[in-house]
Amino acid sequence: MTNISDLPEDLLLELLSLVPARQLICNCRLVCVLWRDVVNLPTLWKRKCQREGFSQKWNRNILDWKTFYFLCSLKKNLLKNPCAEESFQFWKLDSNEGDEWKVEDLPGEHGTDFPSQQVHKYFVTSYGSCLKSQLINLKEEGYWDQVMDEVRPDITVRDWYAARFDCGCRYELCVRLLSADYIVLHEFCPQPVVMEQWSDAEWREISHTFRNYKAGVRYIFFQHGGQDTQYWAGWYGCRVTNSSITIEPGTSA
């Protein structure tokens, strides 16, 4: 009696490429030596990438199609509640001085529209220091130790900030890559941005990509905030929203 393993390898490869990736790794590879070898073929993972459109906009050579597939399928914003839609859920308020953090609707008083119509709210600081943070556990997000240590995919950080037209303010950002023991391996902590009173109040983006970092990254610490420079009661400090941290294939993928 003929069974599926008797199929030509090309046809078996095509059928297995339709199976969800996790089932391929956890189940199909264990069926027999033939299936294991087919699942390990770069051609199978290349076909899955092409079918799901992962490689269409990628202009670099791809060395490991399986790793490339998993990195693309995992890609998402690792920061939760980046646009204040859930108030301060998922954020730790490290510093909450003055009249404290507040959530407001865009564009806000003496503010401007955000470049994306999908963003409706922002966090705003006060006259005292206001800082908030998230700590991302990479293993909980699906990034296993081996890929972080051997592949070291790009880690891209983006944040948006703005001032009110009628009040000066200061914005600050600090992002750290941490080991399992919370030792700082790399960090991006630029000088605070000071926006003068009567500025244009336009939203500005700041971004940074970590590449070729040390092995051992297990956590990402993200912290941002600031305060107004006029020391006015209320919420006249910097505004932040649409923050993101994404992991995607780098030059070695």
Side-chain angles (χ1 to χ4, degrees), residues 15-54:
L15 291 174
L16 289 177
S17 72
L18 299 171
V19 176
R22 192 167 296 275
Q23 292 183 27
L24 282 175
I25 298 298
C26 298
N27 302 114
C28 296
R29 287 184 78 255
L30 307 179
V31 171
C32 62
V33 172
L34 173 62
W35 282 37
R36 182 199 64 193
D37 292 343
V38 172
V39 170
N40 287 340
L41 285 173
T43 308
L44 181 145
W45 296 98
K46 181 178 181 179
R47 196 164 297 181
K48 288 183 72 65
C49 288
Q50 292 171 335
R51 182 176 290 115
E52 299 189 31
F54 291 157

Side-chain angles (χ1 to χ4, degrees), residues 156-160 205-208 222 242-246:
T156 299
V157 180
R158 292 186 174 88
D159 200 19
W160 287 83
E205 184 184 35
I206 183 171
S207 65
H208 177 76
F222 176 98
N242 203 37
S243 314
S244 68
I245 296 178
T246 55

Side-chain angles (χ1 to χ4, degrees), residues 53-164:
F54 291 157
S55 57
Q56 291 178 357
K57 298 181 180 180
W58 195 256
N59 57 7
R60 303 173 187 167
N61 290 330
I62 298 171
L63 303 179
D64 184 338
W65 282 97
K66 182 166 68 174
T67 299
F68 180 82
Y69 177 87
F70 277 103
L71 287 174
C72 289
S73 61
L74 283 171
K75 185 180 176 181
K76 62 181 178 181
N77 187 357
L78 299 177
L79 290 174
K80 298 177 174 61
N81 186 28
C83 301
E85 293 293 344
E86 300 171 85
S87 187
F88 292 98
Q89 188 173 357
F90 304 113
W91 291 98
K92 178 185 177 186
L93 304 184
D94 303 312
S95 182
N96 202 20
E97 300 176 9
D99 283 324
E100 303 182 347
W101 281 97
K102 186 183 179 185
V103 171
E104 294 182 346
D105 294 324
L106 279 158
E109 188 175 4
H110 295 287
T112 58
D113 291 328
F114 193 79
S116 170
Q117 295 183 352
Q118 296 180 346
V119 179
H120 306 290
K121 297 177 183 290
Y122 59 83
F123 303 96
V124 59
T125 61
S126 186
Y127 62 87
S129 174
C130 291
L131 297 170
K132 61 185 179 69
S133 66
Q134 289 190 34
L135 181 66
I136 298 166
N137 184 322
L138 292 173
K139 188 171 291 187
E140 289 181 356
E141 298 295 338
Y143 296 94
W144 60 102
D145 295 351
Q146 183 180 6
V147 76
M148 297 307 300
D149 293 346
E150 298 179 8
V151 179
R152 302 182 200 181
D154 289 355
I155 301 174
T156 299
V157 180
R158 292 186 174 88
D159 200 19
W160 287 83
Y161 64 92
R164 288 173 59 113

